[in-house]
Amino acid sequence: MTIQQVLLLLLLWMWLPHPCHTEMLFRRTPDLRPKSFGGRASGNDGKAIHRQKRGWMWNQFFLLEEYTGSDYQYVGKLHSDQDKGDGSLKYILSGDGAGTLFIIDEKTGDIHATRRIDREEKAFYTLRAQAINRRTLRPVEPESEFVIKIHDINDNEPTFPEEIYTASVPEMSVVGTSVVQVTATDADDPSYGNSARIIYSILQGQPYFSVEPETGIIRTALPNMNRENREQYQVVIQAKDMGGQMGGLSGTTTVNITLTDVNDNPPRFPQSTIHLRIPESSPVGTAIGSVKATDADTGKNAEVEYRIIDGDGTDMFDIVTQKDTQEGIITVRKPLDYETRRLYTLKVEAENTHVDPRFYYLGPFKDTTIVKISVEDVDEPPVFSRSSYLFEVHEDIELGTIIGTVMARDPDSASSPIRFSLDRHTDLDRIFNIHSGNGSIYTSKPLDREISQWHNLSVIAAEINNPKDTTRVPVYVRILDVNDNAPQFAVFYDTFVCENARAGQLIQTISAVDKDDPLGGQKFFFSLAAVNPNFTVQDNEDNTARILTRRNGFSRHEISTYLLPVVISDNDYPIQSSTGTLTIRVCACDSQGNMQSCSAEALLLPAGLSTGALVAILLCIIILLVIVVLFAALKRQRKKEPLILSKEDIRDNIVSYNDEGGGEEDTQAFDIGTLRNPAAIEDKKLRRDIIPETLFVPRRTPSAPDNTDVRDFINQRLKEHDTDPSAPPYDSLATYAYEGNDSIAESLSSLESGTTEGDQNYDYLREWGPRFNKLAEMYGGGESDKDTS
């Protein structure tokens, strides 16, 4: 194929409609009438391809963003081949922004944008266009869809998501080590021009760091950057669009870079020799001092482990690494003695625990120093020959016997004499004593193993020249047993024998105990102190014995209790024995030998009745007797009560008042008429101004003789009060209303009856009916008694 043919085919391809281009710009419904172009082409399948003539025409479908002109920005033109230019067609626009953002001239089809458009807000708009007949309002062309794309301009600068970045890189890193990547974004269209093509550059941070222009990766630019020299760096990165060309927009960000530590420094002791001192009295575990190696690194790279690698005191001292301070603490491993050795030399090594193999070339990561320890002399307390003492002694030794001796010495070069003493808090009973000069311990009181088998003493040793420095040692005294206690019954035995017992019957098994503790163990023997016709003892040879009967039948009415002496002996030297008395009661038993009742209780109490029941019966009898006595007393008290209970006495008495009384309104006062008529005293007539609650027969009293002294005194007092106009009268005659004209009883006033001379006749009471007979008898009887007397 020649070059001319290739150019011809390329030109033909450019004039053919491309589906992707047409789809992007607009979507057109083909005309119902096919309109052919002048040419025909064959497809790959051999079919003829017909080109249709389009009914729409337009000039431009791209719009530049951020238009700043004063007029509306021209977008494009729609035109139909049905338009004859006579204004008979009308163009209509619809879709995104139609009528507001985009307007169309309905006659010419020109489209304009009414305001500035920002591509970053919306990159393209989809609209629909239609041409209709003005008269018929019918479409002359089918509705077509097209797209208006917004052409981008470089109106946005690159921006970073973070204003300040923080990054780190290990120190001593090789050149080109990646530190961090920063990425800027540009809101412009990356597919159109270079508006969004960003190039990175470094504005600050050279020559230590560099940045890749295309990727924004920051890398180290200098070798062997040492953290110990400088740790912090600040790098400023610029991002510029338009490929970094002149006129491009830019943005910056700051990156703070920290060099992290690596173990590139070995530990170093600041001194080659270290001197320490310690008193010889320092106990094991005492800290003497510390050593420390400095390391310029930090964190785990500065961790150091200390150890003693050489010297003449490796067995006397230890060194421990203190993790929080990275110090080596030297401690005492064994007791020190100034008199034995006064100076020790140690070689201490400090080594990093985390070593980086990349930096072996910098030298060994450890260091050593010499530590010299001087032991200082002190006045030491006495030292006992043993850490503790144990003495054994029999409990029967004589007083003042030496049971053992403790020994102590002064460890100092200038030996001082020692004085011994007992701590009395450990021997409160003062059973032991000690010789202060030689340390011999002896007894001062008798020993008894049965009271205390062990004695724990504390002996104090002190220098005579310096008694404040003392040493103590425990002394354990064990008391050995001697057979000095006789065996006894193990427990108290409550033994009984049945009345129907037969000879040879077992009634009790006994055992014994002994406070002593022989080496071969206890062995007891049982026997009777004398031959007993009723009972016998049979030794079981196992430290127990059986009590058996020797005859048939026992009677509790004849003998209720038997006393049986039993001899118990041990088998140690010297032999100890004791006699224990066994009390045997005679009891009534059933056929199986079960006890029912024994001597004292059976004789005193009836069968089947306990002491508690008797007490309850006695209490019931006492309660019944108390109830009867109370009932009789109440009944007697009722008989003594009067027939008429009244708060007022029926007799008129002379009462001395200290006050003036109630005056005329005091109707409860006594009748003074009785004083004026002495004869009324003998009559003992009832008062008629008070109605009695209960009728009764008045008692007769002997008449009193007329006393002129009293009468004269009363008359004198009456005259004094009568002449006093301010004093109310004490005597008054109260007028009582009577029952009415129809009552035959008339007035019953006692005042009126007391002043009259005649006697009252009560015979009319009998005429009132049977209900008043008793009253008539009572009053009538009084008159008869008076007459007879």
Side-chain angles (χ1 to χ4, degrees), residues 25-85:
L25 295 180
F26 74 104
R27 193 171 295 166
R28 166 88 165 117
T29 302
D31 194 357
L32 297 177
R33 297 172 298 170
K35 299 178 182 180
S36 60
F37 290 85
R40 176 180 295 180
S42 298
N44 295 332
D45 55 357
K47 295 181 180 180
I49 299 177
H50 298 278
R51 184 177 181 186
Q52 295 179 349
K53 181 180 179 182
R54 292 178 294 181
W56 293 102
M57 290 183 297
W58 55 89
N59 294 331
Q60 185 177 355
F61 290 95
F62 293 93
L63 184 64
L64 191 64
E65 71 167 333
E66 302 295 343
Y67 173 72
T68 58
S70 59
D71 297 333
Y72 289 167
Q73 185 179 3
Y74 180 75
V75 178
K77 182 181 182 64
L78 297 179
H79 184 75
S80 173
D81 54 3
Q82 301 293 326
D83 191 356
K84 303 301 184 181

Side-chain angles (χ1 to χ4, degrees), residues 78-319:
L78 297 179
H79 184 75
S80 173
D81 54 3
Q82 301 293 326
D83 191 356
K84 303 301 184 181
D86 55 358
S88 60
L89 295 183
K90 179 181 180 182
Y91 295 96
I92 300 175
L93 187 66
S94 62
D96 292 343
T100 57
L101 179 58
F102 301 103
I103 58 175
I104 188 171
D105 190 336
E106 61 182 16
K107 293 182 179 181
T108 62
D110 293 332
I111 302 174
H112 291 82
T114 60
R115 59 179 176 84
R116 286 194 312 175
I117 298 176
D118 190 359
R119 189 202 65 84
E120 284 70 38
E121 293 181 1
K122 193 174 181 64
F124 63 91
Y125 296 85
T126 302
L127 294 97
R128 294 181 298 278
Q130 190 176 23
I132 61 174
N133 190 299
R134 286 183 179 274
R135 293 191 301 269
T136 63
L137 300 179
R138 291 182 178 180
V140 297
E141 293 286 351
E143 187 180 48
S144 296
E145 184 178 86
F146 61 96
V147 175
I148 299 177
K149 291 191 65 176
I150 309 302
H151 271 177
D152 182 49
I153 64 173
N154 189 17
D155 59 343
N156 292 280
E157 70 276 1
T159 59
F160 290 92
E162 300 289 341
E163 293 183 2
I164 298 177
Y165 289 84
T166 301
S168 61
V169 63
E171 64 173 334
M172 308 298 290
S173 298
V174 297
V175 176
T177 301
S178 176
V179 179
V180 67
Q181 182 179 14
V182 293
T183 303
T185 58
D186 196 322
D188 294 327
D189 189 1
S191 62
Y192 181 78
N194 293 329
S195 298
R197 183 167 174 258
I198 299 174
I199 296 298
Y200 300 93
S201 61
I202 184 169
L203 301 182
Q204 177 183 329
Q206 294 174 335
Y208 307 103
F209 300 95
S210 62
V211 63
E212 292 184 355
E214 300 291 339
T215 61
I217 297 176
I218 301 174
R219 300 182 182 276
T220 59
L222 282 181
N224 300 327
M225 286 193 294
N226 196 341
R227 184 197 64 85
E228 288 72 32
N229 296 332
R230 182 177 177 181
E231 185 177 3
Q232 299 289 338
Y233 295 87
Q234 189 176 74
V235 178
V236 178
I237 301 298
Q238 181 189 61
K240 190 174 184 180
D241 58 11
M242 297 298 292
Q245 298 177 3
M246 293 291 294
L249 302 178
S250 64
T252 60
T253 187
T254 301
V255 182
N256 294 326
I257 301 176
T258 303
L259 296 183
T260 58
D261 184 60
V262 298
N263 193 4
D264 58 340
N265 294 280
R268 291 289 181 263
F269 282 106
Q271 298 175 348
S272 60
T273 304
I274 300 173
H275 294 273
L276 299 175
R277 295 180 179 274
I278 182 172
E280 63 172 334
S281 59
S282 300
V284 174
T286 302
I288 303 173
S290 64
V291 296
K292 184 175 183 180
T294 59
D295 194 326
D297 298 321
T298 60
K300 68 176 184 178
N301 297 320
E303 292 181 0
V304 177
E305 186 72 26
Y306 297 91
R307 64 179 65 91
I308 300 174
I309 59 175
D310 197 5
D312 53 11
T314 55
D315 59 337
M316 298 295 295
F317 303 96
D318 280 331
I319 189 167

